[in-house]
Amino acid sequence: MTQSFKKLVLMSALLAALVVSLGAYTRLSNAGLGCPDWPGCYGFLTVPNEAHELVSAQQQFPGSEVHQEKAWIEMIHRYFAGSLGLVVAAIFFVALRQPNYGASVRGLSTLLVVLIVFQALLGMWTVTMNLQPLIVMGHLLGGFTILSLLTLLWLRASQSATVVIPHVTGLKVMTLAVLTVLVLQIALGGWLAANYAAPHCRGLPLCENGELFSLSSLFQLPHSSASYEFGVLPFETRLSIHLVHRIWAMVTLIAILALCWRLYVRIPDTRVRPVILLPAILVLCQVLLGGAIVHWQFPLLLTLFHNVMAALLLLSMVRVCYLLFYQSRG
């Protein structure tokens, strides 16, 4: 593969990481409805600022008030997301015109285009359905999926040296199982954020009102509402969502540490030891960061970093999967 294609894929992966971070900041700063329409903002391609633009916005959306800061946060996220879509489209056309790149690269490029289109629809529905939690969570998972696939595509394009790993089948199964545990934890975090459940569980290691925990309430979906901003589920349900997220975080911690230990013991190649140890380091930092967020009462920047760390942890696990499924020979 050409160096220009590799650079294009790397740029797209970095851009996807930025888009995921901007999406988290948009959600955490309560700017998801900063623009009540899509893809523009109050009928404009930028945030209305002039007097005649504000009058037009008020006429088109009489029930909304233009909040400049929130609207710009939302539009900046959309600008970068749109740019990512164009870059992914460029990757697709380049891969399509180069049959020597291999079926896996062309397949990943095609899948990314499909996901980008679906992600754009989820972005539209997030606004038009007024932050419906299932849509918001799906939008978050879609961003993480696109970032993971772009990272995998970059790893495939880089074509690193192979590693000898004896009896790798059991390790592959265990790695996929641990990856599934991590994805479930990220989904729980997305469900927690979509229902604004973070402040409903205070205290460490359990909630101060832990006696309100109800397993049955976890299956309660939000009722129909004109707007889901700031959440509509009962306090008990949101507390339960948060507490389950914490409990599953411990499951994720143990699973990743066990996997990294087994890989460290089974793979003697010192070249890949940093790849093996990175998920263990990141998951420990993520758990400590979660505790710090609760202790300091959910500061925005620290919570944003928690989202970014989740993405980094997922990418580190994608790198481990690539090591076992694509690099290993033995």
Side-chain angles (χ1 to χ4, degrees):
M1 297 182 194
T2 63
Q3 288 297 321
S4 58
F5 182 75
K6 294 177 184 178
K7 290 179 180 179
L8 182 63
V9 174
L10 178 59
M11 182 183 73
S12 67
L14 294 174
L15 183 56
L18 178 60
V19 171
V20 167
S21 301
L22 287 172
Y25 184 72
T26 301
R27 185 173 60 255
L28 294 170
S29 58
N30 300 318
L33 294 179
C35 297
D37 52 339
W38 188 94
C41 190
Y42 292 92
F44 299 92
L45 293 178
T46 62
V47 177
N49 184 44
E50 302 293 334
H52 69 279
E53 294 175 339
L54 294 173
V55 171
S56 175
Q58 186 63 39
Q59 291 173 346
Q60 292 186 64
F61 302 91
S64 300
E65 181 182 352
V66 179
H67 295 279
Q68 294 283 335
E69 182 179 354
K70 290 185 176 182
W72 272 116
I73 291 172
E74 171 66 8
M75 286 307 295
I76 288 171
H77 171 57
R78 293 184 189 179
Y79 293 150
F80 278 99
S83 301
L84 176 62
L86 294 176
V87 175
V88 168
I91 291 173
F92 170 72
F93 285 115
V94 171
L96 204 63
R97 295 178 61 183
Q98 300 290 339
N100 60 314
Y101 280 4
S104 61
V105 171
R106 294 198 302 275
L108 278 173
S109 302
T110 304
L111 179 58
L112 279 164
V113 169
V114 174
L115 286 175
I116 282 288
V117 173
F118 186 60
Q119 183 73 347
L121 289 174
L122 286 173
M124 177 185 69
W125 294 332
T126 296
V127 176
T128 58
M129 297 180 70
N130 297 308
L131 304 180
Q132 211 283 346
L134 286 173
I135 300 297
V136 173
M137 183 182 71
H139 195 48
L140 179 146
L141 292 177
F144 274 59
T145 302
I146 291 170
L147 175 58
S148 298
L149 291 179
L150 282 169
T151 301
L152 181 59
L153 182 59
W154 179 74
L155 291 170
R156 290 288 289 157
S158 299
Q159 289 294 335
S160 304
T162 58
V163 180
V164 176
I165 306 174
H167 310 296
V168 76
T169 304
L171 294 175
K172 287 181 178 180
V173 172
M174 184 178 182
T175 302
L176 287 177
V178 173
L179 180 63
T180 302
V181 169
L182 175 59
V183 171
L184 286 174
Q185 174 63 3
I186 292 172
L188 284 170
W191 187 240
L192 181 152
N195 285 286
Y196 299 84
H200 290 69
C201 182
R202 300 175 184 270
L204 289 169
L206 301 176
C207 308
E208 292 177 351
N209 297 315
E211 68 277 3
L212 296 178
F213 173 77
S214 172
L215 188 61
S216 61
S217 70
L218 292 174
F219 303 100
Q220 179 179 351
L221 295 177
H223 56 77
S224 180
S225 175
S227 175
Y228 298 90
E229 192 172 22
F230 307 118
V232 297
L233 289 175
F235 180 91
E236 174 187 327
T237 302
R238 290 197 253 185
L239 180 145
S240 300
I241 291 171
H242 190 147
L243 191 55
V244 168
H245 178 61
R246 290 193 195 182
I247 294 171
W248 198 253
M250 294 300 102
V251 175
T252 306
L253 173 67
I254 294 170
I256 291 178
L257 291 180
L259 173 67
C260 292
W261 172 251
R262 187 173 180 188
L263 290 174
Y264 190 87
V265 172
R266 293 286 297 277
I267 304 177
D269 196 324
T270 56
R271 294 173 299 170
V272 299
R273 286 287 171 85
V275 175
I276 294 170
L277 292 176
L278 184 58
I281 296 170
L282 289 176
V283 74
L284 286 169
C285 292
Q286 183 73 329
V287 169
L288 292 174
L289 184 59
I293 289 171
V294 175
H295 177 73
W296 281 304
Q297 300 300 307
F298 313 100
L300 188 147
L301 290 180
L302 206 59
T303 307
L304 174 63
F305 190 52
H306 192 58
N307 282 258
V308 174
M309 284 287 290
L312 292 175
L313 179 56
L314 178 61
L315 295 185
S316 71
M317 282 297 301
V318 169
R319 181 67 180 88
V320 170
C321 288
Y322 176 77
L323 170 71
L324 295 180
F325 285 84
Y326 294 100
Q327 283 186 286
S328 63
R329 297 290 185 273

